[in-house]
Amino acid sequence: MRYQIQGETLPVVICELEGGETMITEGGGMAWMSPNMKMETSTNGGVGKAFGRMFSGESMFQNNYTAMGGPGMIAFASSFPGSIRAFEITPGNEMIFQKSAFLAGEAGVNMSIFFNKKIGAGLFGGEGFIMQKFSGNGTVFAEFDGHVIEYELQAGQQIVVDTGHLAGMTASCNMEIKSVPGVKNMLFGGEGFFNTIITGPGRIWLQTMPISNVAAVLRNYITTAK
């Protein structure tokens, strides 16, 4: 499979497949494709995995697209202004993404639920108690909100992230929650009560425009318009 990511505000990834190759995506992810792409809708792993995907922000059913009778082409478009990133998943190189990040992936990639070990991280971290974990072998495409900034953390190195800005990280990273110091800072600082602390070693991807912030802006705009 060969691919190219095009566009900036609303990007699209265009995949060129060899005959017999399969791509998996959520319902509505396909933007355009060649006529020889065959679609099959499936739970991809049974009812248990289907419910797991639902809790991680995806639909229970997935669409499998296979190039039939020769090479094929299929494109997957972002559903929100932001960025599409490609990640190579291999055994021992697993990735953890925010809910609803999955756009498409090769058939060898497995998606499962990732539970934060610490309850506080799930309840107050903004990234959610349930995230998405990707393992197996192949390329997976994730869509993030806004622009994406990438950092490499050394062993023991930490970074403090505001609520909702964590888009993804390697499974080697550790995430925990710490309260913002000082009552006045909590109440009047405008940054919320908690911050997310990411500890290396590993790589992290931060997004500049969390979907929760956009939703708040839209609500304020609608309220003002009324």
Coordinates of all heavy atoms in Angstrom, one line a residue, residues 1-16 32 74-78 82-88 103 139-143:
M1 N 0.8 -1.2 0.0 CA 0.0 0.0 0.0 C 0.9 1.2 0.0 O 1.8 1.4 0.8 CB -0.9 0.0 1.2 CG -2.0 1.1 1.2 SD -1.5 2.6 2.0 CE -1.3 2.1 3.7
R2 N 0.6 2.2 -0.9 CA 1.3 3.5 -1.0 C 0.2 4.5 -0.7 O -1.0 4.4 -1.0 CB 1.9 3.7 -2.3 CG 3.1 2.7 -2.6 CD 3.6 2.9 -4.0 NE 2.7 2.4 -5.0 CZ 2.1 3.2 -5.9 NH1 2.2 4.5 -5.8 NH2 1.2 2.7 -6.8
Y3 N 0.6 5.6 -0.1 CA -0.3 6.7 0.3 C 0.3 8.0 0.2 O 1.5 8.2 0.2 CB -0.9 6.4 1.7 CG 0.2 6.7 2.8 CD1 0.4 7.9 3.3 CD2 0.9 5.6 3.2 CE1 1.3 8.1 4.3 CE2 1.9 5.8 4.2 CZ 2.1 7.1 4.7 OH 3.0 7.3 5.7
Q4 N -0.6 9.0 0.1 CA -0.2 10.4 0.2 C -1.3 11.2 0.9 O -2.4 11.0 0.6 CB 0.2 11.0 -1.2 CG -1.0 10.9 -2.2 CD -0.6 11.5 -3.6 OE1 0.0 12.6 -3.6 NE2 -1.0 10.9 -4.7
I5 N -0.8 12.1 1.7 CA -1.8 13.0 2.5 C -1.8 14.3 1.8 O -0.7 15.0 1.7 CB -1.4 13.0 4.0 CG1 -1.4 11.6 4.6 CG2 -2.3 14.0 4.7 CD1 -0.9 11.6 6.0
Q6 N -2.9 14.8 1.4 CA -3.0 16.1 0.8 C -4.0 17.0 1.5 O -4.9 16.5 2.2 CB -3.5 15.9 -0.7 CG -2.5 15.1 -1.6 CD -3.0 15.0 -3.0 OE1 -4.0 15.7 -3.4 NE2 -2.3 14.3 -3.8
G7 N -3.8 18.3 1.3 CA -4.7 19.3 1.9 C -4.2 19.7 3.3 O -3.4 19.0 3.9
E8 N -4.7 20.8 3.8 CA -4.3 21.4 5.1 C -5.5 21.5 6.0 O -5.5 20.8 7.1 CB -3.6 22.7 4.8 CG -2.3 22.6 4.0 CD -1.7 24.0 3.8 OE1 -2.2 25.0 4.3 OE2 -0.6 24.0 3.2
T9 N -6.5 22.3 5.7 CA -7.6 22.5 6.7 C -8.4 21.3 6.8 O -8.7 20.9 8.0 CB -8.4 23.7 6.2 OG1 -7.6 24.9 6.0 CG2 -9.5 24.0 7.2
L10 N -8.8 20.7 5.7 CA -9.6 19.4 5.8 C -8.8 18.4 4.9 O -9.1 18.2 3.7 CB -11.0 19.7 5.2 CG -11.9 20.4 6.2 CD1 -13.2 20.8 5.5 CD2 -12.3 19.4 7.3
P11 N -7.8 17.8 5.4 CA -7.0 16.9 4.6 C -7.6 15.6 4.2 O -8.7 15.2 4.8 CB -5.8 16.6 5.6 CG -6.4 16.7 6.9 CD -7.4 17.8 6.8
V12 N -7.0 14.9 3.3 CA -7.4 13.6 2.8 C -6.2 12.7 2.6 O -5.2 13.2 2.2 CB -8.3 13.7 1.5 CG1 -7.4 14.3 0.4 CG2 -8.9 12.4 1.1
V13 N -6.3 11.4 2.9 CA -5.3 10.5 2.6 C -5.7 9.6 1.4 O -6.8 9.0 1.5 CB -4.9 9.6 3.8 CG1 -6.1 8.9 4.4 CG2 -3.8 8.7 3.5
I14 N -4.9 9.6 0.4 CA -5.2 8.8 -0.8 C -4.3 7.6 -0.8 O -3.1 7.7 -0.8 CB -5.0 9.6 -2.1 CG1 -5.9 10.9 -2.0 CG2 -5.4 8.8 -3.3 CD1 -5.6 11.9 -3.1
C15 N -4.9 6.4 -0.9 CA -4.2 5.1 -0.8 C -4.3 4.4 -2.1 O -5.3 4.2 -2.7 CB -4.8 4.2 0.3 SG -4.8 5.0 2.0
E16 N -3.1 3.9 -2.5 CA -3.0 3.1 -3.8 C -2.7 1.7 -3.3 O -1.7 1.4 -2.7 CB -1.8 3.7 -4.6 CG -2.0 5.1 -5.1 CD -3.0 5.3 -6.2 OE1 -3.4 4.3 -6.8 OE2 -3.4 6.4 -6.4
W32 N -13.7 8.9 -1.9 CA -13.8 8.5 -3.2 C -13.0 7.2 -3.4 O -12.0 7.0 -2.7 CB -13.5 9.6 -4.2 CG -12.1 10.1 -4.1 CD1 -11.0 9.6 -4.7 CD2 -11.7 11.3 -3.5 NE1 -9.9 10.4 -4.4 CE2 -10.3 11.5 -3.7 CE3 -12.4 12.3 -2.8 CZ2 -9.6 12.6 -3.2 CZ3 -11.7 13.4 -2.2 CH2 -10.3 13.5 -2.4
I74 N -8.3 4.3 -3.1 CA -9.4 4.8 -2.2 C -8.9 5.9 -1.4 O -7.7 6.0 -1.0 CB -9.8 3.6 -1.3 CG1 -11.0 4.0 -0.4 CG2 -8.7 3.1 -0.4 CD1 -11.8 2.9 0.2
A75 N -9.7 6.9 -1.1 CA -9.4 8.1 -0.3 C -10.3 8.2 0.9 O -11.5 7.9 0.9 CB -9.5 9.3 -1.2
F76 N -9.6 8.6 2.0 CA -10.3 8.8 3.3 C -10.1 10.3 3.7 O -9.0 10.7 3.9 CB -9.8 7.9 4.4 CG -9.8 6.4 3.9 CD1 -8.7 5.8 3.5 CD2 -11.0 5.7 4.0 CE1 -8.7 4.4 3.1 CE2 -11.1 4.3 3.6 CZ -9.9 3.7 3.2
A77 N -11.3 11.0 3.9 CA -11.2 12.4 4.2 C -11.4 12.6 5.7 O -12.2 11.9 6.4 CB -12.2 13.2 3.4
S78 N -10.8 13.7 6.2 CA -11.0 14.1 7.6 C -12.4 14.6 7.8 O -13.0 15.2 6.9 CB -10.0 15.1 8.0 OG -10.2 15.6 9.3
G82 N -8.4 19.8 10.7 CA -7.3 19.3 11.6 C -6.2 18.7 10.7 O -5.9 19.2 9.6
S83 N -5.7 17.6 11.2 CA -4.5 16.9 10.6 C -4.7 15.4 10.5 O -5.4 14.8 11.4 CB -3.2 17.2 11.4 OG -3.0 18.5 11.6
I84 N -4.2 14.8 9.5 CA -4.2 13.3 9.3 C -2.7 12.9 9.4 O -1.8 13.5 8.8 CB -4.8 12.9 8.0 CG1 -6.3 13.2 7.9 CG2 -4.5 11.4 7.8 CD1 -6.9 12.8 6.6
R85 N -2.4 12.0 10.3 CA -1.1 11.4 10.5 C -1.1 9.9 10.2 O -2.0 9.2 10.6 CB -0.6 11.7 11.9 CG -0.3 13.2 12.1 CD 0.8 13.8 11.2 NE 1.1 15.2 11.4 CZ 2.0 15.6 12.2 NH1 2.8 14.8 12.9 NH2 2.2 16.9 12.4
A86 N 0.0 9.5 9.7 CA 0.2 8.0 9.4 C 1.2 7.5 10.5 O 2.2 8.1 10.8 CB 0.7 7.8 8.0
F87 N 0.8 6.3 11.0 CA 1.7 5.6 12.0 C 1.9 4.2 11.6 O 1.0 3.5 11.2 CB 1.0 5.7 13.4 CG 0.7 7.0 13.9 CD1 -0.4 7.7 13.6 CD2 1.7 7.7 14.7 CE1 -0.7 9.0 14.1 CE2 1.5 8.9 15.2 CZ 0.3 9.6 14.9
E88 N 3.2 3.8 11.7 CA 3.5 2.4 11.3 C 3.5 1.6 12.6 O 4.3 1.8 13.6 CB 4.9 2.3 10.7 CG 5.0 3.1 9.4 CD 4.1 2.5 8.3 OE1 3.9 1.3 8.3 OE2 3.6 3.3 7.5
L103 N -9.1 6.8 11.6 CA -9.7 7.2 10.3 C -9.7 5.9 9.4 O -10.8 5.6 8.8 CB -8.9 8.3 9.7 CG -9.4 8.7 8.3 CD1 -10.8 9.2 8.3 CD2 -8.4 9.8 7.7
T139 N -0.1 0.0 8.6 CA -0.2 1.5 8.7 C -1.6 1.8 9.2 O -2.6 1.3 8.7 CB 0.1 2.1 7.4 OG1 1.4 1.7 6.9 CG2 0.0 3.6 7.5
V140 N -1.7 2.8 10.1 CA -2.9 3.3 10.6 C -2.9 4.8 10.4 O -1.9 5.4 10.6 CB -3.2 2.9 12.1 CG1 -2.2 3.5 13.0 CG2 -4.7 3.3 12.5
F141 N -4.1 5.3 10.0 CA -4.2 6.8 9.8 C -5.1 7.3 10.9 O -6.2 6.8 11.1 CB -4.8 7.1 8.4 CG -3.9 6.6 7.3 CD1 -4.3 5.5 6.6 CD2 -2.8 7.3 6.9 CE1 -3.5 5.0 5.6 CE2 -2.0 6.8 5.9 CZ -2.4 5.7 5.2
A142 N -4.7 8.4 11.6 CA -5.4 9.0 12.7 C -5.7 10.4 12.3 O -4.9 11.1 11.7 CB -4.7 8.9 14.0
E143 N -6.9 10.9 12.7 CA -7.2 12.3 12.5 C -7.2 13.1 13.8 O -7.9 12.6 14.8 CB -8.5 12.5 11.7 CG -9.7 11.8 12.3 CD -11.0 12.1 11.5 OE1 -11.1 13.2 10.9 OE2 -11.9 11.2 11.5

